[in-house]
Amino acid sequence: MGTPNRTLIHPAYFLLVGIPGLGPHTHFWLAFPLCFMYALATLGNLAIILTIRVDRRLHEPMYLFLAMLSSIDLVLSSVTMPKMASLFLTGVQEIEFNICLAQMFLIHALSAMESAVLLAMAFDRFVAICHPLRHASVLTGSTVVKMGLAALIRGFLFFFPLPFILKRLSYCRAHTVTHSFCLHQDIMKLSCTDTTVNVVYGLFIILSVMGVDSIFIGFSYVLILRAVLALSSQGAALKAFNTCVSHLCTVLVFYVPLIGLSVVHRLGGPTSLVHVVMANIYLLLPPVVNPIVYGAKTKEIRSRISHVFSQGERCTYLDVSGWKGGSSGGGRGMDLLCLVCFEVKFKEGPTLKRYSFLYWEREIVKQELDGPPSARPCPQLISISMGGSTGNESSATYFVLIGLPGLEEAQFWLAFPLCSLYIIAVLGNLTIIYIVWTEHSLHEPMYIFLCMLSSLDILISTSSMPKMMAIFWFNSTAIQFDACLIQMFAIHSLSGMESTVLLAMAFDRYVAICHPLRHATVLTLPRVAKIGMAAVVRGAALMAPLPVFIKQLPFCHSNILSHSYCLHQDVMKLACADIRVNVIYGLIVIISAIGLDSLLISFSYLLILKTVLGLTREAQAKAFSTCVSHVCAVFIFYVPFIGLSMVHRFSKRRDSLLPVIMANIYLLVPPVLNPIVYGVKTKEIRQRILRLFHGSSRTSDP
């Protein structure tokens, strides 16, 4: 292999820099969000292609061009991500000369093809809005195919000479490419011979491809704007503009990073951080954002993707035009009905009858299943056995969890930020645990309690998030009765354990500040371990009777819970028997666990405050600084808990969005914020995190 400063006509390899100024440890961790973005881009674009492929109603010019765009985005990101992942994860910087040229050709050619497809989509919008009667005859299926082939051939032909005009150059400078992938303008700068041909041809390509395409796209929208402003109806103008929003966003997502990359190539230094960041944005942002934009803004795509992911479970379309009390009778102007579908068995006299119910806009529509079917059966029946007039008792076998009331259309997309929060919570708390575990200087009571808190945060969010994601993405709302009880026990017991750990941390701060000389003898490591075990036993023992009490109850009313996971106070309200035992025991648990802990934590801080006020100002500031992180953790835990209790007590509407939001905040916010608070406010944790990411040894502050 050649060395970086040795003169070679054709070097054996080039060196890719990754991100300048960041160490190998930071590169390693940054690889995970990059890989996540790549997976998101791949799944999103595959979903777009699959949806258009299987639904013949989407075989129209706009959607066919969108499928082409998604295909190009897939290939464009796949050309670079394997090597970028290898660079970031393993630190292997070398890329062979010929492979670098091949990668360069594919990146530039695919970018030109994407520009041509965006121009074709602009032409489609122009014809559809300015000449709607001619749209079907102008943009036929064969014309669309020819336009796609023209985009492919043009991109290939214009950029085919680039590898050959680079191979004629000699390279006698450093062989370090200033990106994580190969670009023409980067490679030619490494040559020590005349690059006038490369510069002129590169400028010619940019002007004749990207420049011409952007001018024609701008001209198309000028004509579209003129036609829309000439419409007499404001509603028609808004509808016309709405059909262009997705394409306009896609154009901006493609051209803004391209222009930004061109500007930093002209103005930025050879190893500029902005340089590299803009290049990664240029390759990764459009493939990620395009399917989201079209999925969110295009009704047809959104509804088809939702149907694909739900596999028929989200919407069981039912013809209710002939039913008594159906849609036609109700004056809704609809003959199709869909939402939660479940089956109920109960006695009517001597016979057991089966009915299917669909819950839609707070109304129940019933159909006897034993009679002639007027709809296809529910894909997943949620069976509830119910006592009829004879008064027989029976229990539920399934419950129905809800997503976000009123936001059913958007919850598929809202699941992505929720999933991101969950990933941040898991990674953040795992980082805290790893640092405390591996750093012997952190084997002190405060950090061991923090490690326990992080472990509980991971468990409490993991106990609910997988099912929440199944609800939001696949509308899998059914949860078995026993699984619901297990989830309920896990959430309540883990919350009780977390409250106990927060109390133990308050006691640690009290001893450290009020009795500093006794701290090492009072809170020894064996005693800390016993406190942790006591927290586990206490939480499990207090909450263990809850599932037993619930199993004794009959359920003969609605089986639809008001959250995305199971809570004791939510489940017991569905029972059709006396629930005084559940109410009283639940109150005892709240008072003896959460209530008592919060009182003792407050009392600890009153004693701490009394002690601190007798110190010098400098000592006061130092003492308070050791408590800030714990005080924040206490508020982060108790405020959502109190808020959830309040809305459970005072919210009267079962379909209200507020209790669901408060419940999700209660489960997700503490696990996300706790590692951030302790990472930012605690010097020792912050230093170890910086050392982990930078891979260099740092001395502690005096």
Side-chain angles (χ1 to χ4, degrees):
M1 290 191 301
T3 59
N5 293 321
R6 185 178 175 186
T7 302
L8 292 174
I9 296 175
H10 288 162
Y13 62 89
F14 288 117
L15 295 178
L16 303 174
V17 298
I19 300 179
L22 301 183
H25 285 81
T26 309
H27 275 113
F28 178 81
W29 291 107
L30 286 177
F32 291 99
L34 284 176
C35 289
F36 175 74
M37 289 181 67
Y38 176 62
L40 193 64
T42 302
L43 292 175
N45 285 290
L46 282 176
I48 293 288
I49 295 169
L50 177 65
T51 302
I52 295 172
R53 173 69 179 84
V54 299
D55 197 328
R56 293 187 177 276
R57 290 171 294 181
L58 296 180
H59 291 183
E60 299 178 4
M62 180 173 70
Y63 302 115
L64 295 177
F65 287 134
L66 176 58
M68 296 178 193
L69 189 70
S70 295
S71 302
I72 294 171
D73 280 338
L74 275 176
V75 180
L76 183 59
S77 56
S78 298
V79 164
T80 55
M81 270 306 299
K83 183 57 188 176
M84 287 178 65
S86 174
L87 171 63
F88 281 45
L89 291 172
T90 66
V92 177
Q93 294 179 285
E94 293 86 359
I95 182 172
E96 292 184 12
F97 179 75
N98 290 324
I99 294 177
C100 184
L101 296 185
Q103 185 188 62
M104 176 213 65
F105 166 73
L106 288 173
I107 290 173
H108 290 299
L110 290 166
S111 298
M113 296 174 198
E114 185 157 347
S115 179
V117 172
L118 290 174
L119 174 59
M121 296 173 83
F123 178 68
D124 168 74
R125 292 298 84 208
F126 162 71
V127 177
I129 294 174
C130 299
H131 305 283
L133 299 179
R134 299 178 58 191
H135 185 262
S137 59
V138 171
L139 285 166
T140 61
S142 59
T143 303
V144 171
V145 172
K146 290 176 182 177
M147 293 172 72
L149 287 174
L152 180 67
I153 294 171
R154 188 188 74 156
F156 180 83
L157 290 179
F158 270 91
F159 290 94
F160 184 72
L162 288 185
F164 297 99
I165 62 176
L166 284 174
K167 293 194 75 168
R168 69 179 184 82
L169 300 176
S170 296
Y171 299 89
C172 52
R173 299 175 185 171
H175 301 152
T176 302
V177 179
T178 58
H179 289 304
S180 305
F181 45 85
C182 297
L183 292 176
H184 173 255
Q185 54 269 43
D186 247 359
I187 299 173
M188 72 176 184
K189 289 179 181 179
L190 303 178
S191 173
C192 56
T193 54
D194 186 15
T195 59
T196 304
V197 174
N198 298 70
V199 173
V200 172
Y201 188 72
L203 184 61
F204 167 72
I205 291 176
I206 290 294
L207 293 177
S208 59
V209 177
M210 312 297 185
V212 171
D213 290 350
S214 59
I215 289 172
F216 275 115
I217 290 172
F219 184 64
S220 298
Y221 274 102
V222 169
L223 297 177
I224 289 172
L225 183 63
R226 189 179 71 172
V228 168
L229 293 178
L231 296 174
S232 57
S233 170
Q234 185 176 359
L238 290 174
K239 186 176 180 181
F241 273 129
N242 190 51
T243 63
C244 300
V245 170
S246 300
H247 179 253
L248 279 173
C249 292
T250 305
V251 169
L252 292 175
V253 166
F254 177 77
Y255 280 103
V256 170
L258 177 65
I259 295 170
L261 182 60
S262 301
V263 170
V264 296
H265 254 293
R266 176 71 60 181
L267 302 178
T271 58
S272 170
L273 179 61
V274 177
H275 213 153
V276 180
V277 170
M278 285 302 302
N280 291 330
I281 289 174
Y282 167 64
L283 276 191
L284 284 177
L285 187 63
V288 172
V289 173
N290 286 345
I292 296 175
V293 167
Y294 273 95
K297 291 300 297 179
T298 308
K299 182 180 68 176
E300 293 81 3
I301 295 290
R302 184 172 65 245
S303 60
R304 298 320 186 274
I305 289 179
S306 299
H307 181 69
V308 168
F309 276 98
S310 66
Q311 291 295 322
E313 185 181 345
R314 177 187 296 267
C315 288
T316 299
Y317 290 100
L318 209 57
D319 183 3
V320 296
S321 57
W323 287 14
K324 179 184 288 188
S327 60
S328 57
R332 299 184 185 276
M334 293 178 60
D335 291 333
L336 292 178
L337 179 68
C338 84
L339 213 62
V340 181
C341 184
F342 54 95
E343 177 186 348
V344 178
K345 300 178 182 179
F346 61 93
K347 289 205 170 196
E348 288 187 356
T351 61
L352 182 69
K353 291 194 175 183
R354 296 167 61 244
Y355 292 86
S356 74
F357 286 76
L358 286 105
Y359 181 72
W360 182 56
E361 292 185 356
R362 309 185 192 93
E363 294 184 7
I364 297 293
V365 178
K366 182 177 77 172
Q367 179 189 13
E368 186 175 344
L369 294 181
D370 296 331
S374 63
R376 52 196 176 99
C378 299
Q380 181 176 354
L381 292 174
I382 305 165
S383 302
I384 309 174
S385 302
M386 300 176 64
S389 58
T390 59
N392 295 334
E393 292 183 354
S394 53
S395 60
T397 57
Y398 286 88
F399 287 114
V400 179
L401 301 171
I402 66 170
L404 297 173
L407 297 176
E408 288 80 6
E409 291 274 340
Q411 67 186 19
F412 174 82
W413 301 107
L414 291 174
F416 288 99
L418 283 177
C419 185
S420 300
L421 286 174
Y422 174 63
I423 293 171
I424 293 171
V426 171
L427 291 178
N429 285 289
L430 283 177
T431 302
I432 295 290
I433 294 170
Y434 173 77
I435 290 172
V436 175
W437 179 266
T438 58
E439 189 69 44
H440 287 286
S441 63
L442 295 180
H443 290 182
E444 298 177 5
M446 181 174 70
Y447 300 113
I448 295 174
F449 286 135
L450 175 60
C451 196
M452 296 177 189
L453 189 70
S454 295
S455 303
L456 292 172
D457 280 338
I458 292 175
L459 291 175
I460 198 170
S461 55
T462 303
S463 65
S464 58
M465 276 302 300
K467 185 58 184 177
M468 286 175 64
M469 292 300 99
I471 295 170
F472 282 28
W473 274 329
F474 310 112
N475 201 51
S476 178
T477 54
I479 183 171
Q480 292 186 5
F481 181 78
D482 291 333
C484 183
L485 296 187
I486 292 172
Q487 186 187 61
M488 176 195 73
F489 168 74
I491 291 173
H492 288 298
S493 61
L494 289 169
S495 298
M497 296 173 199
E498 185 159 345
S499 178
T500 307
V501 171
L502 289 173
L503 174 60
M505 297 174 81
F507 178 68
D508 168 75
R509 290 299 85 206
Y510 161 72
V511 176
I513 295 174
C514 299
H515 306 283
L517 299 179
R518 299 177 57 193
H519 184 262
T521 57
V522 172
L523 284 169
T524 61
L525 291 182
R527 190 161 292 168
V528 169
K530 290 177 183 178
I531 292 174
M533 290 298 299
V536 173
V537 172
R538 180 195 186 214
L542 282 175
M543 305 300 172
L546 294 182
V548 178
F549 291 155
I550 292 293
K551 285 190 74 92
Q552 306 303 315
L553 297 174
F555 294 88
C556 49
H557 300 310
S558 169
N559 68 331
I560 302 176
L561 298 172
S562 59
H563 292 305
S564 303
Y565 50 86
C566 297
L567 291 175
H568 174 253
Q569 57 267 42
D570 209 16
V571 176
M572 72 178 183
K573 290 179 181 178
L574 301 181
C576 53
D578 187 8
I579 58 172
R580 276 181 295 181
V581 173
N582 299 70
V583 173
I584 293 172
Y585 187 76
L587 186 61
I588 292 173
V589 168
I590 290 294
I591 293 174
S592 60
I594 312 296
L596 181 61
D597 291 349
S598 60
L599 286 176
L600 291 176
I601 290 171
S602 301
F603 184 65
S604 298
Y605 274 102
L606 285 176
L607 296 176
I608 290 171
L609 185 62
K610 178 183 175 182
T611 302
V612 169
L613 291 178
L615 302 175
T616 64
R617 181 169 299 181
E618 182 180 353
Q620 287 179 357
K622 187 174 181 180
F624 277 129
S625 67
T626 64
C627 300
V628 170
S629 299
H630 179 253
V631 171
C632 291
V634 168
F635 277 102
I636 288 169
F637 176 79
Y638 282 104
V639 169
F641 178 82
I642 294 171
L644 181 60
S645 302
M646 295 291 286
V647 296
H648 258 290
R649 173 70 60 183
F650 297 108
S651 180
K652 302 299 182 182
R653 292 181 54 186
R654 290 187 55 81
D655 59 343
S656 174
L657 185 60
L658 181 60
V660 181
I661 292 177
M662 287 301 303
N664 292 336
I665 289 175
Y666 167 64
L667 278 192
L668 279 178
V669 169
V672 171
L673 292 186
N674 283 341
I676 296 175
V677 167
Y678 274 95
V680 172
K681 295 299 296 181
T682 308
K683 181 183 68 175
E684 293 80 3
I685 296 290
R686 184 172 66 250
Q687 288 177 343
R688 287 356 179 245
I689 291 175
L690 292 174
R691 183 186 299 175
L692 176 66
F693 279 105
H694 285 284
S696 59
S697 181
R698 290 192 180 203
T699 58
S700 298
D701 294 341

